[in-house]
Amino acid sequence: MAEAKTTTTTRWWRGAAIYQVYVRSFADGNGDGVGDLQGLLRKLPYIAELGIDAIWLNPWYPSPMADGGYDVADYRAIEPLFGSLVEAEKLIDEAHALGIKIIIDIVPNHCSDQHPWFLQAIAEGPDSPARELFWFRPGKGEDGSEPPNDWQSRFGGPAWSRSTNPDGTAGDWYLHLYSPEQPDFNWTNRKVHDEFDDILRFWLDRGVDGFRIDVADGLVKEDGLPDLDGRTPEPLPFSDQDGVHEIYRHWRRIADEYPGERIFVGEMWLPDPERFARYLREDELHSAFNFDFLGCPWDAAALRGVIDDTLAAHAPVGAPPTWVLSNHDVTRHVTRYGRADTSFDFGDRQHLATTDFELGTRRARAAALLTTSLPGGVYVYQGEELGLWEVENLPDELREDPVWVRSGHTDRGRDGCRIPIPWGGSEPPFEFGDGTAWLPQPEEWSDFTAEVEAADPDSMLSLYRTALRLRRTEEALGDGDLTWLDLGPGVLAFTRSPGFACVVNLSPDPVPLPDHAGVLLTSDPLHDGALPSDTAAWLRLA
Ligand code: NOJ
C-alpha cells in the first residue's frame, strides 16, 4: 500500500478519505442474507487497499429497523443481526491495526418507539416524568383529535401521532420529525443531555474515532412549538435553532478529553451556507457533509458556483470542506448523471427517468477525480467505487423504506441505493453471503463485482484505487486550497500547490491539455492529447 504522506494523528480528519459502510448491505458473514460485522471484518483488507483513512458506519445499534437502524432501541449495544459488542470492539482494533479510523453514527434527535424510555412514557401515561423526555402534547379540537400543530414529518404526513393511554383511551400526541416509530427527544430536559454525554463516552472509551451526527440541526425546537401556518421561516422551528450550538460545544469538550483527535461530522441539510458554517466553528463540529455539491447538476458553471460558495463559507471558520457524491439516502450518481436532469432533490427522485448509463458512468468517473482532488475531505459510499447504479425496478412489495408507505406510495424511497454489494461470482447473491440477500441484486451486476473489477485496470474500482492512493502520496491533495485555471467554457480546471492540476471537461468538445503538463491519471483515455467530453485528468505541472 502507498505510504501515507502525513502521520495519521495530526489533523487527520481535515483531508481524510472516508468510506461509508451501510452495514446491512455490505457483506454478510453468517449467511442470513443481512450484512454484519463479521462480513465487514473480512472485507477490511479490501477497504484498506482502496486507500481509505476512515470508515463511517451507519447505525449499528439494536433497532426494530423501522428506518434502517435510525430508530435506535439501545445506544450502548449492537443490533443482534449485525453481531455483538465484542465484535464491534474487534472491528475497531483490527481497523486501527490497518491504519483505518472508525466513525459511528449517533442519532440524538429521536430514538425508537421501542426504546425503554419511550415504552415507559407510554406505560406510565399522562403527567409521568418519563413523558418529559419526549414531546407529548394534548391534541387540538374538543376531543383532542387534531395534532398539536401543523408540522409535517419529513417522511410525509403529520409529525405527530396520537398515543394510547394505559386504560386504552386515546391520549396525548407525541412529536416525530420522521416516522411514528421515531419519537423526538426533548432536549430541554437535562436528563437527555446527560444520557448522550454518557453514550458518547461509552463509545469513545471503546476507541471510536468519531461520530456522524444524524439530523444534527434538529435537536432544539422553537419555544411554544409554533404552527407554520404556510410560512417557511429561516430557521424553521424544528431546525437550526440557535440553542443547538451549545450542545455541540459541550460535546466537543468531551471529545477533546480523549487522545488522538476524536471528531464529529454533522448531517445538516440547510439552505444558508453561512448558518451551516456556524456548526463548524472552532469549538463545535470538525466537519459536515456538503449536500449542495451532491445535489448540484453536472454543469461546469453550477459546480464551480457550489465549489466557490463552499470554500467561501468554510474559510472564515477554518473548517475543511467535504465532497460527497452519494450516500444511503440519495439516488446513486451513476444514475443521476445519466439523466436529462442531473440534479438531485428529495422532492422528486425522478424515479425511472430515462437514463443513459454509459454517459452516467463516464461522468461518475470524472466526478471521482474531481471530488478526490478538491481541498478537504471526501466520502465514498460503498459500491460507488464499483460504479453501481440505483436499482429502480425493485418489486414494490420488497420495499422497506418507510418513505414508500408514508408518502402514500408516491415516493419509492431509498431502497434502490441500499442493494447488497456484489463481491464475486456470476449470479446473485454475488458472494454477498451464503444466503439470499435481503434485497435482490440485478443479474447485470455479474460484470460489476469487486472480483471482476479488481482484475480490470480500466474498471471504476481501479480508477478509485489509483486516485485514492495518489491522493495519499501527492503533497498537493487533501487539506488546503485551490486556484482556478481558465480553460474555456464548460471546463472546470484548478491547480493545487505544489505542481498539481485537475481538469474536468463538461463541454461537448475535446479540450487540449496544457503543453507543459505531465498526465498522472485520466478518467478515460486522451484522444490526440485532448480530454474528451465528460472526462477528467490529473496533471503534474512542471
Ligand atoms: C438521516 C439519515 O441519513 C436517514 O437515513 C434517516 O432516515 C434520517 N436521518 C432520520 O434518522
Side-chain angles (χ1 to χ4, degrees):
M1 207 198 315
E3 203 177 313
K5 62 175 181 265
T6 51
T7 60
T8 45
T9 47
T10 312
R11 318 273 274 173
W12 65 269
W13 44 276
R14 295 191 60 90
I18 300 180
Y19 188 78
Q20 182 191 347
V21 169
Y22 192 76
V23 184
R24 208 178 173 192
S25 300
F26 189 62
D28 169 17
N30 66 1
D32 64 358
V34 178
D36 49 35
L37 298 188
Q38 277 303 335
L40 172 53
L41 271 158
R42 277 183 220 160
K43 298 296 181 192
L44 281 180
Y46 168 87
I47 297 174
E49 199 175 347
L50 199 50
I52 288 293
D53 302 303
I55 296 172
W56 151 39
L57 294 106
N58 286 99
W60 59 1
Y61 314 103
S63 165
M65 298 284 164
D67 180 22
Y70 284 96
D71 46 323
V72 179
D74 179 354
Y75 288 83
R76 295 181 188 78
I78 298 294
E79 161 61 37
L81 276 173
F82 295 165
S84 65
L85 197 51
V86 172
E87 283 167 330
E89 288 171 346
K90 188 170 173 208
L91 177 77
I92 295 167
D93 289 347
E94 292 199 9
H96 285 171
L98 289 167
I100 296 173
K101 310 228 179 237
I102 295 288
I103 296 170
I104 62 171
D105 222 305
I106 186 100
V107 189
N109 182 68
H110 47 262
C111 59
S112 160
D113 63 353
Q114 299 306 303
H115 187 285
W117 283 9
F118 194 74
L119 291 175
Q120 188 184 359
I122 293 293
E124 292 183 358
D127 302 325
S128 76
R131 292 212 167 184
E132 294 303 317
L133 303 172
F134 300 94
W135 293 102
F136 280 88
R137 291 287 180 276
K140 283 187 177 162
E142 254 172 49
D143 54 358
S145 62
E146 303 286 325
N149 72 19
D150 61 3
W151 298 359
Q152 295 295 296
S153 148
R154 296 217 170 99
F155 290 162
W160 296 88
S161 289
R162 196 165 191 184
S163 66
T164 304
N165 289 323
D167 66 5
T169 56
D172 286 344
W173 296 68
Y174 66 90
L175 176 68
H176 51 83
L177 291 185
Y178 293 87
S179 73
E181 294 86 1
Q182 294 166 290
D184 277 43
F185 283 117
N186 174 1
W187 277 85
T188 67
N189 193 297
R190 194 67 243 160
K191 204 173 162 192
V192 175
H193 291 248
D194 293 345
E195 175 71 354
F196 273 90
D197 288 359
D198 194 69
I199 293 165
L200 293 178
R201 290 184 194 284
F202 178 90
W203 293 107
L204 289 166
D205 287 341
R206 279 164 181 75
V208 305
D209 302 284
F211 300 90
R212 175 264 190 196
I213 307 172
D214 188 59
V215 198
D217 58 298
L219 281 50
V220 174
K221 276 58 174 184
E222 187 175 329
D223 280 349
L225 311 180
D227 277 316
L228 284 173
D229 285 329
R231 299 168 305 137
T232 42
E234 261 186 52
L236 290 160
F238 41 78
S239 166
D240 195 28
Q241 294 290 307
D242 287 344
V244 81
H245 295 284
E246 199 39 58
I247 297 173
Y248 297 135
R249 285 196 191 100
H250 180 71
W251 284 19
R252 179 67 179 256
R253 289 196 288 274
I254 293 178
D256 285 350
E257 289 168 20
Y258 286 79
E261 295 184 82
R262 317 291 177 99
I263 65 143
F264 294 107
V265 185
E267 188 228 11
M268 304 91 75
W269 298 77
L270 297 178
D272 178 345
E274 279 170 30
R275 291 193 68 92
F276 175 89
R278 289 170 11 127
Y279 291 74
L280 304 177
R281 287 176 290 197
E282 215 180 354
D283 57 349
E284 297 192 39
L285 310 183
H286 298 74
S287 67
F289 298 106
N290 180 356
F291 293 125
D292 289 344
F293 181 80
L294 184 155
C296 184
W298 186 251
D299 172 88
L303 283 167
R304 165 94 188 244
V306 170
I307 294 167
D308 279 339
D309 288 351
T310 301
L311 298 175
H314 285 70
V317 288
T322 65
W323 309 99
V324 190
L325 290 166
S326 279
N327 67 28
H328 65 292
D329 290 330
V330 307
T331 306
R332 281 191 179 273
H333 60 275
V334 161
T335 302
R336 294 193 328 254
Y337 288 160
R339 293 170 169 170
D341 176 354
T342 51
S343 64
F344 176 76
D345 189 330
F346 281 114
D348 178 8
R349 283 172 206 278
Q350 306 184 50
H351 184 74
L352 287 175
T354 306
T355 304
D356 176 341
F357 287 103
E358 194 268 324
L359 179 64
T361 301
R362 202 162 68 237
R363 290 173 171 172
R365 292 173 67 89
L369 294 195
L370 173 63
T371 50
T372 51
S373 62
L374 283 168
V378 65
Y379 283 82
V380 178
Y381 174 47
Q382 66 178 43
E384 83 173 60
E385 80 281 15
L386 300 175
L388 301 185
W389 56 86
E390 184 80 7
V391 177
E392 296 190 281
N393 58 356
L394 277 177
D396 287 343
E397 63 276 14
L398 295 184
R399 293 185 191 282
E400 292 215 2
D401 186 355
V403 166
W404 169 233
V405 172
R406 296 282 300 171
S407 68
H409 297 150
T410 55
D411 182 339
R412 286 188 164 68
R414 303 165 291 178
D415 294 301
C417 64
R418 300 173 176 180
I419 305 297
I421 295 296
W423 290 101
S426 55
E427 53 189 42
F430 299 117
E431 297 174 15
F432 170 68
D434 292 337
T436 306
W438 71 280
L439 284 175
Q441 302 146 306
E443 301 280 345
E444 298 86 341
W445 281 6
S446 57
D447 293 333
F448 292 82
T449 64
E451 184 183 33
V452 164
E453 294 202 25
D456 174 2
D458 297 327
S459 68
M460 187 74 89
L461 179 59
S462 296
L463 180 75
Y464 269 82
R465 281 184 175 170
T466 309
L468 290 168
R469 283 184 205 171
L470 278 171
R471 194 171 190 278
R472 289 184 149 198
T473 50
E474 284 296 306
E475 203 188 328
L477 297 185
D479 192 21
D481 48 24
L482 62 70
T483 306
W484 291 107
L485 281 179
D486 185 5
L487 295 188
V491 183
L492 279 179
F494 56 86
T495 60
R496 300 199 58 191
S497 184
F500 174 92
C502 175
V503 182
V504 189
N505 180 10
L506 295 91
S507 78
D509 305 312
V511 169
L513 293 178
D515 285 344
H516 59 291
V519 176
L520 285 178
L521 182 63
T522 58
S523 62
D524 263 322
L526 300 175
H527 288 296
D528 299 327
L531 193 61
S533 177
D534 288 316
T535 66
W538 282 4
L539 312 174
R540 159 84 28 79
L541 302 176

